[in-house]
Every structure is written in C-alpha cells, then in structure tokens.
Amino acid sequence: MDLSQAPSNAAAVELVSLTKNYGDGKPAVDAINLRIASGSYCCLLGPSGCGKSTTLRMIAGHESVTSGDVLLENRNITDLPAAARGTAMMFQSFALFPHMSALDNVAFSLKMKGVDTATRHQAAGQLLERVSMSHLAQRKPGELSGGQQQRVALARALITEPKVLLLDEPLSALDPFLRIQMRAELRRWQKELKLTFIHVTHSQEEAMALADTMVVMNHGTIEQMGSPHEIYNQPRSEFVARFMGGRNVLAWCGALITVRADHMQLHAMTDRVAPGSQSLTARITDIEYQGTHVLVGLQAQAAAPQATLSELTVMVPENRFMAQPFALGQQAQVAWSVDAAHHFTSASVSTV
Ligand code: ADP
Ligand code: MG
C-alpha cells in the first residue's frame, strides 16, 4: 500500500468539539464536530450571526479557541499561529494593498518572510499566469475590475502554498452578475488546484452552486451536513427546510411535512385531483411572474390548525400558468403526490 496517497475520504480539516465563547452567555460556536474531505469544496451556510465566520477564523488561527481542537491533515494546529498552519484566507473586500501593483500584492507575504525580490517576483509571476493575470501584473488594484481583483487576491492567498483556502463571503461585495461569473471561476480553480476550499456564505443559492459538501449552521451548531442535493431534498429539520427555501412546511395529519414549491400543483376548484394525491383548499394572495415560472402565494383555508399551514407558495411553470391562469383572490386546490411529501427527522424549529 502506498502510504503517501491519502485515502479519498481523508479529512483535510477536522473540528473536534470546537467551541468559541466570547463571554456573553451562549457560545457563538457550540461544540461542533466536522470532517471536511481533502480536495473538496465545503460551504458553511447559515443566517447572519450563526457562527460561520467565527468557525472560519478559528480554523485560520485569527481567533482563539475556547475549547476543542482544529486538526489539519491529522495534525493538531489549534494553538499554532496563523502563518504556521498551512491555511490561507481570502476576504470579502479582497483586502488588496491599493498602492501596490498586482505583482507586489501577490508577492507580499514572501517579502515579509525575507525572500529576495527576484525570487518572490518570479513566484508571484507564475501565480498571476495561473489566474490569467500576467498582462496586468503592473496594475494597481484601483485599475482592475472586481473580477480581476478577485484573481489577484486568490494568487496572493496561494503564494504561501496552503493546503486549505478559507474564504469568508468572498463574493458579497460584487454585483449580482459578476458574482455568478466569479463563483464559476472559484469552482473551476478549486477543481484545477485540487485544494480544499472552505467558503462561508449566507446565500443558499451560492452554496448550492459551489459546494461538494454543505454545512448548514444555526445558533452556533451544525443543523445538517451533506451534498446540496441531499440538503435540498431531505432537509432534516424545519429550520433547514425554511432556510434553504423553495419549500412549503405544513402540518398534515398531525405531523409536519415539507413539499417543494415546484412539486405542488394548482387546480381549479372544479378539477378532480389525481388519485394518490393529497390536496387542500387555499385562496390566492399573491402572483409573481418570474419568467420560467410563476410564483403563486396562497393562504390555506380548511384544516389549518397551525400557523405553519396557512401560507403556501406554488411554483407553476410559465406555460402551464398561461394555459390555465389564476387570479388574485381566487380559490384553488393545492395538490401534491404522497411521494413528494418529506418528513423531518430532527425537531429543530425555524427562527428565521
Ligand atoms: P456569522 O459569520 O455566521 O454571521 P459570526 O461568527 O460573525 O457569525 O458571529 C457569531 C456570533 O458571535 C454573533 O452573535 C456575533 O455577534 C458574535 N461575535 C462575533 N465576533 C465577536 C467578537 N469579536 N466579540 C464578541 N462577539 C462576537
Ligand atoms: Mg460572517
């Protein structure tokens, strides 16, 4: 057996009962356990204040740990200074030095280490080539577009040859169009470099687009971890279902169930609902045209013992809506097949 080859399920980063208490009562990060596979793109996802950045900063060594451990490739790095960990961080604003050229920005940490000018410029030049920025090496950040700045920031983070790249909301300063372009680039770089990326975001759309593994956090704990497909289709708790969105949560026969908005159908009151389907009556309160589909908001009318039952959204494909339009205030039947209903396995209740 070749021991130099790490097994495919090797953890690049392992968090063991990791806790941060800022001393104001409830911990910001509360004894989380997590294994992040080597070479994977991991997104930490959750609402503002749930402890994502604190977790990332403890991995980076920018925040002290109250208790628990951070392991990188089985090495305990909990008490090592940031520069000695084998991690690198890329920030939201990219934090480039405005008065330095792209080349000098990339070479900066080598300069701090006392590496001579020729050697560090050569290393920085190679990295800029890697991110297709060689031709702009002498430009200052103010003379670069947002996307170009992101590439320089990436090259600067990579010059220390990290094993893990940590990214805290790296795309949130960009306009929506550029954000979508840049996330495709991040994804491509991660696959090309075969590095482990840990990316913090509050956007479920961004996390689903990027992640091999998503970690959904809430109040300093991990609610669920899995592939985007698993998390979207099998949310463990009401919290995850509501946070991911695109779903309805309703009380049905004494239990909470969740059904995807695009797995529900709208029928006129006179239509017969297909056998094997479940249905309820609701009044249309909102109609929102979205291009490929129409979002129809409804207020459930019958059998509504709980508030969670009362509001629903049904995503109707555009052509179907146009063939059978509904109007505001109209009553309709909302139907879904039994197979489309998903039950929660964890009781965690939404606070978002
Ligand atoms: P997120 O990145 O998910 O938005 P953070 O990790 O920044 O969340 O914050 C988690 C919690 O810890 C929040 O309640 C926040 O107010 C608190 N917090 C973060 N940084 C500090 C700090 N330096 N001192 C005290 N409390 C902090
Ligand atoms: Mg944050």
Side-chain angles (χ1 to χ4, degrees):
M1 198 168 91
D2 181 1
L3 292 178
S4 67
Q5 285 283 312
S8 58
N9 65 349
V13 171
E14 190 170 353
L15 308 181
V16 185
S17 206
L18 189 67
T19 299
K20 178 68 191 186
N21 197 326
Y22 287 109
D24 48 3
K26 205 182 167 322
V29 175
D30 197 356
I32 63 171
N33 292 294
L34 180 61
R35 284 169 61 91
I36 298 169
S38 190
S40 68
Y41 204 124
C42 175
C43 284
L44 301 184
L45 172 70
S48 179
C50 72
K52 306 177 296 293
S53 293
T54 301
T55 302
L56 204 71
R57 289 204 303 268
M58 287 194 283
I59 298 171
H62 295 158
E63 187 68 76
S64 67
V65 162
T66 304
S67 60
D69 289 299
V70 180
L71 280 66
L72 194 142
E73 295 182 344
N74 293 323
R75 194 167 59 112
N76 195 325
I77 60 166
T78 315
D79 299 318
L80 289 184
R85 292 186 165 219
T87 58
M89 190 113 172
M90 201 170 122
F91 295 95
Q92 178 179 340
S93 53
F94 311 136
L96 296 173
F97 299 115
H99 58 287
M100 282 186 197
S101 68
L103 189 75
D104 283 330
N105 262 289
V106 176
F108 183 74
S109 64
L110 294 187
K111 185 178 183 182
M112 290 294 99
K113 284 184 179 166
V115 176
D116 67 85
T117 310
T119 309
R120 66 177 193 258
H121 277 179
Q122 197 197 359
Q126 280 172 0
L127 277 169
L128 282 174
E129 197 175 325
R130 182 128 212 195
V131 297
S132 313
M133 284 290 292
S134 301
H135 60 302
L136 301 174
Q138 295 310 325
R139 292 252 184 111
K140 299 206 166 98
E143 300 159 348
L144 298 171
S145 72
Q148 290 165 341
Q149 289 182 41
Q150 172 170 293
R151 294 186 200 177
V152 175
L154 180 77
R156 191 177 64 169
L158 294 180
I159 202 147
T160 58
E161 298 183 4
K163 297 188 167 74
V164 177
L165 185 66
L166 307 169
L167 308 101
D168 195 348
E169 310 259 8
L171 305 177
S172 54
L174 306 177
D175 68 65
F177 184 73
L178 193 55
R179 196 180 304 149
I180 289 172
Q181 225 176 356
M182 285 300 108
R183 81 181 180 211
E185 286 212 21
L186 279 181
R187 173 88 196 165
R188 185 167 55 77
W189 285 326
Q190 188 269 331
K191 292 298 165 222
E192 252 176 57
L193 299 162
K194 299 185 174 66
L195 273 182
T196 308
F197 277 32
I198 308 178
H199 175 139
V200 159
T201 177
H202 62 272
S203 158
Q204 38 80 19
E205 184 201 332
E206 187 171 305
M208 285 201 287
L210 283 167
D212 297 308
T213 303
M214 274 167 57
V215 178
V216 183
M217 293 183 68
N218 182 24
H219 293 310
T221 63
I222 294 174
E223 282 276 337
Q224 188 170 2
M225 177 174 171
S227 70
H229 183 264
E230 278 167 353
I231 302 232
Y232 194 68
N233 285 290
Q234 284 133 39
R236 286 186 61 229
S237 61
E238 183 186 352
F239 171 81
V240 176
R242 288 195 188 279
F243 186 73
M244 291 305 293
R247 291 186 157 274
N248 295 292
V249 176
L250 54 150
W252 189 256
C253 299
L256 274 191
I257 62 165
T258 172
V259 184
R260 281 168 51 158
D262 59 335
H263 288 172
M264 283 180 152
Q265 295 88 40
L266 273 191
H267 296 282
M269 293 305 289
T270 49
D271 282 359
R272 249 192 53 169
V273 171
S277 285
Q278 295 175 318
S279 66
L280 54 79
T281 302
R283 193 175 56 79
I284 295 173
T285 54
D286 194 34
I287 297 175
E288 212 173 74
Y289 181 66
Q290 302 259 312
T292 56
H293 57 269
V294 178
L295 282 182
V296 180
L298 302 107
Q299 186 88 26
Q301 299 205 311
Q306 293 197 18
T308 47
L309 178 69
S310 59
E311 283 179 16
L312 298 169
T313 303
V314 179
M315 191 187 280
V316 186
E318 184 201 34
N319 52 2
R320 187 183 300 179
F321 189 89
M322 292 310 163
Q324 188 186 15
F326 287 87
L328 274 181
Q330 199 179 335
Q331 283 213 346
Q333 300 180 82
V334 177
W336 62 94
S337 83
V338 178
D339 296 344
H342 170 76
H343 293 257
F344 299 121
T345 53
S346 162
S348 172
V349 169
S350 173
T351 51
V352 291

